[in-house]
Amino acid sequence: MLSDDARFLVARNAETPSADAENTENVDPNEPLGFVHYRFVIEEGAAVLYVYELQIAPGARRRGLGKFLMMLCESLARKAKVCGVVLTVQTSNAHATKFYESMKYALSPISPRTCDPWAFEEGEYDYDIYQKVWGEDGALALAKAGAEAFKENKEMFDAASVFVHSNDELKDAFKKATIAA
């Protein structure tokens, strides 16, 4: 978050509470209601706005603030003439996944689930990559990178599976080798 390239959009309450106003949610009026941390990056050959983090205070959730911040990110990406927005979602965060999908984000071809045969068999990855891409060049670059990664990972997977045997398979192979000798 402290990179020189890091950018933030921070949402605060526009209303200043009066001295006698009742603060029923125990929310500090000076605390941010939410923020988004993003950077402009080249992701697998495509220039994108990458959302690293979106956080909304519990008292500000389900009021459209997250959607508004993401729409601002999309506007910034279009203004900067990059091909889209890419982000990472923890697989355990079903609410976030549903939120991004409702905003028309789709699983990216560079997400581990789509380009690594070992991805969820081993539980190796706890995240997915989602994207909303409007530039054809960017979409093609990400799709190509995903296909190349899948091909490379599949070759490694197939090569490794040659060496993966159960104890029974090894015992049978040893018996056959011993009998043949």
Side-chain angles (χ1 to χ4, degrees), residues 3-20:
S3 167
D4 290 340
D5 296 333
R7 302 289 180 261
F8 296 88
L9 295 173
V10 180
R12 296 187 184 278
N13 192 347
E15 299 174 10
T16 306
S18 63
D20 59 345

Side-chain angles (χ1 to χ4, degrees), residues 10-133:
V10 180
R12 296 187 184 278
N13 192 347
E15 299 174 10
T16 306
S18 63
D20 59 345
E22 189 175 326
N23 186 351
T24 59
E25 296 177 1
N26 279 338
V27 175
D28 182 346
N30 299 314
E31 287 294 314
L33 297 175
F35 73 91
V36 62
H37 164 213
Y38 68 95
R39 295 182 198 169
F40 289 99
V41 300
I42 305 296
E43 185 70 26
E44 302 295 344
V48 298
L49 183 150
Y50 203 112
V51 172
Y52 286 88
E53 193 163 358
L54 172 66
Q55 294 284 330
I56 306 298
R61 292 182 186 154
R62 312 263 335 133
R63 296 182 182 181
L65 181 58
K67 182 176 182 177
F68 179 72
L69 288 171
M70 289 306 297
M71 289 170 64
L72 285 174
C73 286
E74 292 170 21
S75 293
L76 288 168
R78 287 183 190 275
K79 185 77 172 169
K81 299 191 184 324
V82 297
C83 67
V85 176
V86 175
L87 54 91
T88 303
V89 182
Q90 298 300 308
T91 55
S92 62
N93 194 341
H95 292 294
T97 300
K98 185 177 177 182
F99 167 73
Y100 291 120
E101 288 174 348
S102 76
M103 292 195 64
K104 308 298 184 216
Y105 283 80
L107 192 65
S108 176
I110 62 171
S111 186
R113 184 171 13 154
T114 58
C115 68
D116 187 347
W118 282 309
F120 289 96
E121 285 185 22
E122 301 291 327
E124 186 173 339
Y125 301 99
D126 61 355
Y127 68 93
D128 278 321
I129 299 173
Y130 277 74
Q131 69 181 34
K132 184 188 278 189
V133 180

